[in-house]
Amino acid sequence: MASAARKISAGQRAPRRGARVQHILGESLECFAESGFERVTYDELIARSKVSRGSFYWYFPSKEALYEAVLDTCVTGYVARLEDQFAKTDPKDHIVKRLLDTSLADFNANRSQYRLLLRPPPSADVVKKLAQWNDDVLAFMRGKLEPAVKAGKLNREMADILPDVLSAFIDGICVRLVLEDENSVSTLSKNIERFLCRIVDA
């Protein structure tokens, strides 16, 4: 039955919509985040979702296809989440602080999604989606820095460099948080903020 389900063409598969598919994606996200792509088995994913094997294969004929679908849900809503978090920051704060606070708030609210990123499968499509995720955050940051450039508070060269620097620092913080090294994160993020604010203002 499983092999037959795998042979169903893309045109014949049911559309990936509805509560059942969202449930599968949500449970699979947690599995991938907990165990990594390589270690989690298809049987574990099916058991976790509490969906029949036939239905599972109907929507997701391989573990790779499932991972890519889960990753799609993470990438698709990312910028909107950042916008929501940025709107909650204090406009009086330094732009560096606001961007760091935005990224860390999103991380803390969506840790499973970030854990998913640390152990992806070796797939060209996955690499492309991860690159898009990174491009989205850089574009978001550049957009938030542009008003400071136009107001003469930030020079163009710094505005071009800062998103990459911020992204690299945030990646380091996220790795520590994923490894549950909570004690060092607060001090690290504050030191990064102070350092970058001084550089930008120099």
Side-chain angles (χ1 to χ4, degrees):
M1 181 177 178
S3 60
R6 288 192 185 94
K7 294 178 182 178
I8 297 172
S9 69
Q12 293 174 312
R13 291 191 199 112
R16 293 183 177 178
R17 297 176 183 172
R20 176 179 292 180
V21 171
Q22 291 306 311
H23 172 72
I24 292 173
L25 292 174
E27 292 298 328
S28 298
L29 169 60
E30 296 300 327
C31 279
F32 285 132
E34 291 165 6
S35 303
F37 175 82
E38 295 296 338
R39 291 180 60 192
V40 72
T41 68
Y42 216 58
D43 286 340
E44 289 171 338
L45 291 162
I46 293 170
R48 178 77 168 256
S49 70
K50 297 180 180 178
V51 173
S52 71
R53 184 173 294 272
S55 294
F56 204 94
Y57 277 120
W58 179 263
Y59 289 109
F60 305 105
S62 69
K63 189 168 71 167
E64 290 78 8
L66 175 58
Y67 183 96
E68 288 186 28
V70 170
L71 187 56
D72 275 336
T73 65
C74 299
V75 175
T76 300
Y78 184 55
V79 173
R81 295 199 321 255
L82 291 180
E83 290 287 358
D84 288 343
Q85 292 293 351
F86 188 81
K88 297 174 185 176
T89 61
D90 189 344
K92 296 178 183 177
D93 285 340
H94 197 289
I95 187 61
V96 168
K97 175 175 171 51
R98 296 184 71 190
L99 290 173
L100 284 170
D101 287 350
T102 294
S103 297
L104 291 172
D106 181 74
F107 177 89
N108 283 318
N110 300 282
R111 290 195 181 203
S112 291
Q113 292 192 13
Y114 288 85
R115 286 191 175 94
L116 182 81
L117 302 179
L118 293 182
R119 293 170 285 185
S123 158
D125 287 339
V126 167
V127 170
K128 184 177 179 180
K129 288 181 174 68
L130 293 176
Q132 183 62 54
W133 189 324
N134 186 65
D135 289 346
D136 287 347
V137 71
L138 294 178
F140 167 80
M141 289 181 179
R142 290 190 183 104
K144 297 307 179 187
L145 293 170
E146 193 60 29
V149 174
K150 290 181 177 179
K153 297 178 180 179
L154 184 65
N155 69 58
R156 173 58 62 188
E157 182 181 8
M158 182 61 72
D160 290 341
I161 295 171
L162 192 55
D164 282 319
V165 175
L166 279 167
S167 181
F169 277 128
I170 291 165
D171 287 347
I173 289 174
C174 289
V175 168
R176 292 191 185 202
L177 287 171
V178 166
L179 296 174
E180 298 182 354
D181 181 13
E182 303 279 354
N183 293 332
S184 69
V185 170
S186 178
T187 299
L188 177 62
S189 60
K190 287 178 182 177
N191 286 339
I192 289 171
E193 178 190 317
R194 290 170 60 195
F195 173 74
L196 289 179
C197 285
R198 288 182 182 180
I199 293 293
V200 170
D201 292 339

